Every structure is written in C-alpha cells, then in structure tokens.
Amino acid sequence: MERVSVYEVGPRDGLQNEATTLSTETKLSFIERLVDAGVRDIEVSSFVRPRWIPQLADADHVVAGLPAYEGVTYWGLVPNKRGLDRAVSVEMEAIATFMSTSETHNLKNVNRSTRESLLGLREVIADALEQGMRVRSYLSTVFGCPYEGKVDPRRTVDLAGELLAAGAERISLGDTTGMGNPRQVQTILRMLQDDGISLDKITLHMHDTRGTALANILAGLEAGVRQFDTSVAGLGGCPYAPGASGNAASEDLIYMLHEMGYETGIDLDRLADVGLFVEDALGRELPGRYHLAHRAQCSAAKVLEA
Ligand code: MG
C-alpha cells in the first residue's frame, strides 16, 4: 500500500488558536495519546516570544517532558535565532521555520519584509543544521492573503526554492485563511515541478475555513504530494474569523486516505478518542466532521449501555 504521512499540528497550531490554555501536563498527555495512536510527526509547541502566544508559553517545559519514542519526531516552531537558541537549549531535534509569501502579511506578522525574513531564516536554518537538527519551513498565505487577496504563485515557487537551497528538507505550503481552491493547488504544484522542485519536498497545510480543505488536499494527493499537516478534530480556530474552522481535521483526512487504500500507520479509532480527550480538556466543541460522527456514535453507545 502506498504511504501518506500525516504531520500533526494540533499541539502547536491547534492550541495556539484556542482561547483556553491547557496545562503542561494536559499537553503532554495529549501528545502521548497522539503517539499511542501511531502519529509519528508532531509539532509540539512554539518558541516564539511567550507574550505573543501565551497558550504556548510553556514550550520549554513541554519539550522537557516529552517521552522519547523510536521513530517519533517532535517538531518545534522557531521564528528566529533567539527561538532557535531556546530550541537548542531544550535539545529539540527538529524545527519548523515560518514566513509569509505575502509582503503585507509578513510585515504584520513578524514586522519584517519577506526579503529580511528570508535572510534571517537562511542563518537560522544553517545554524540548526549545524546542530544536527531537521528543518522544515512553512510558507503561509500561499493561497490567499487577508490583506492582499490573491498572492502571485511565482512568489511561492521562488521562496520555496530559496528555503530548500538554504537547507530546509521540506516546504509546507499554508492556506492560512482557507481561501484556496483545488485548481490553485494544481497550478502551484505544477509550477514548483516546472522549477525542478520535487513534490516529495512539499507538504500541504490546508485550512477548512470555507469548507475546501479536503478538496484541496485531494488535488495535492492526486498530483503526488504525500505529506499533509492537520490537527486532530480540527483543533484551532481561524485567527481572522472568530468561530470559523482552521486546520483541516486529522481524522477526516485519515478516514479518506484509508478508504482510498493509502496507509498512514495511524489507528483512526484511537486518534478519534484523542479528539474527544482534547475537546473535553478545552471545553469547547471541535469542528472535525469525523470527530462529530465519532462523538455521536460514542454517546449513542453510552445510551445503549445505560
Ligand atoms: Mg494551520
């Protein structure tokens, strides 16, 4: 069976967009449950300044408490050199860098031009590689920008090429605001390949804000992409639209993949229970579709038992 890898962003990208801050202990329990369900790549926290994202201010403690498992890679988000130093000090093995393809979004998000970001990230990536770390790089607002609207796909292709040349092993293309459509996905992937970038270096990070995440993922899958970023139960809202969904839900993707005959190494039933666990911990209903079906089934089973 053909393998597709699912990179879980729930503990970082999910939790950073939730109003409730979980305790370090609950986060560690969450991550351990993900590992038990068979998840092998987990973005566990972020080394941005704690006051930017208070939900993840305990990154150092989370990382210090992570159980070591053969074959599991924990990733930490790193914004700059200072973030990298923190990641190094807690012996992180893998980091993710980020910048926007949109000039305005990058400026508002990190207060730098995209050129300045790229120059800074080159050094961060080089330093991380020297430390023996693995590095992936996010490009956000690839499929649309909340300030600029459409983003020229050429910018994405050029920046992806630069970050790969700097040493990133993968580029994750983010649909930050959930504005993308399948045709756009096809176009960008074709342009990347025309530029000599192999799709085994590309991950898609789609958001379901407007209900197009799985359709966009399918377009990527059919084009040859074999890694996707998702969060369990669709954890994490959309920072630009309160109440709207953010990340595509891991269970929805994994259900689709398994039914199509792909292998992920993840036990869907166990993962669905992790969704219930996080929902309970946060005390808010999470939007994943498989998650909702699983929850309804579980409560029906409980009624039958009673
Ligand atoms: Mg996201």
Side-chain angles (χ1 to χ4, degrees):
M1 268 199 290
E2 207 181 340
R3 181 98 179 183
V4 173
S5 108
V6 179
Y7 178 106
E8 174 66 42
V9 297
R12 196 282 297 172
D13 191 12
L15 293 183
Q16 84 169 47
N17 290 304
E18 293 289 342
T20 304
T21 299
L22 300 184
S23 69
T24 306
E25 202 179 28
T26 306
K27 288 173 185 171
L28 286 170
S29 174
F30 174 25
I31 293 164
E32 194 148 2
R33 284 159 198 260
L34 289 169
V35 172
D36 285 343
V39 183
R40 288 299 169 258
D41 286 288
I42 307 172
E43 200 160 292
V44 293
S45 196
S46 170
F47 295 98
V48 302
R49 270 191 217 171
R51 73 179 158 86
W52 287 358
I53 300 177
Q55 294 94 324
L56 303 182
D58 61 350
D60 308 62
H61 298 291
V62 168
V63 173
L66 290 172
Y69 285 106
E70 185 73 29
V72 174
T73 305
Y74 299 120
W75 301 77
L77 192 74
V78 159
N80 49 30
K81 180 73 176 96
R82 196 186 226 163
L84 178 65
D85 290 343
R86 275 177 71 199
V88 169
S89 73
V90 291
E91 295 175 9
M92 206 73 225
E93 287 175 4
I95 60 156
T97 69
F98 65 94
M99 66 174 288
S100 286
T101 46
S102 146
E103 204 58 61
T104 315
H105 186 266
N106 201 66
L107 207 60
K108 299 230 182 204
N109 201 27
V110 293
N111 206 20
R112 286 176 163 199
S113 70
T114 54
R115 200 70 222 162
E116 287 169 320
S117 276
L118 185 62
L119 291 177
L121 291 183
R122 273 193 192 139
E123 284 182 34
V124 169
I125 293 170
D127 289 354
L129 293 177
E130 209 163 292
Q131 296 285 336
M133 290 169 148
R134 292 176 63 187
V135 182
R136 61 155 27 205
S137 292
Y138 285 107
L139 283 173
S140 58
T141 63
V142 166
F143 302 91
C145 167
Y147 310 107
E148 295 182 12
K150 291 256 176 294
V151 175
D152 182 356
R154 192 66 242 167
R155 291 181 64 84
T156 301
V157 176
D158 290 344
L159 287 170
E162 299 252 28
L163 290 163
L164 287 171
E169 66 180 49
R170 259 181 190 276
I171 307 299
S172 176
L173 306 179
D175 186 8
T176 315
T177 50
M179 292 161 80
N181 67 69
R183 189 152 290 172
Q184 234 181 334
V185 173
Q186 291 166 344
T187 303
I188 289 178
L189 295 178
R190 199 177 316 119
M191 286 175 68
L192 285 163
Q193 288 175 292
D194 288 347
D195 249 43
I197 296 174
S198 159
L199 294 189
D200 61 12
K201 303 226 174 293
I202 298 298
T203 297
L204 289 179
H205 180 114
M206 309 311 292
H207 280 197
D208 204 35
T209 320
R210 292 169 182 79
T212 52
L214 266 191
N216 290 334
I217 286 172
L218 182 59
L221 186 69
E222 291 190 331
V225 174
R226 290 294 177 268
Q227 188 183 66
F228 301 94
D229 296 347
T230 53
S231 74
V232 72
L235 182 64
C238 171
Y240 305 98
S245 329
N247 299 301
S250 308
E251 302 93 316
D252 296 9
L253 168 64
I254 291 161
Y255 173 76
M256 182 180 85
L257 289 171
H258 289 179
E259 293 297 310
M260 288 174 79
Y262 290 100
E263 181 205 358
T264 64
I266 296 169
D267 181 327
L268 182 54
D269 285 335
R270 291 177 88 163
L271 188 68
D273 285 341
V274 184
L276 297 178
F277 168 81
V278 186
E279 180 172 71
D280 194 45
L282 285 169
R284 100 161 169 105
E285 283 199 11
L286 295 175
R289 302 298 288 271
Y290 189 96
H291 163 75
L292 292 173
H294 179 70
R295 195 179 61 192
Q297 249 170 14
C298 289
S299 4
K302 264 187 203 147
V303 170
L304 281 177
E305 275 168 28

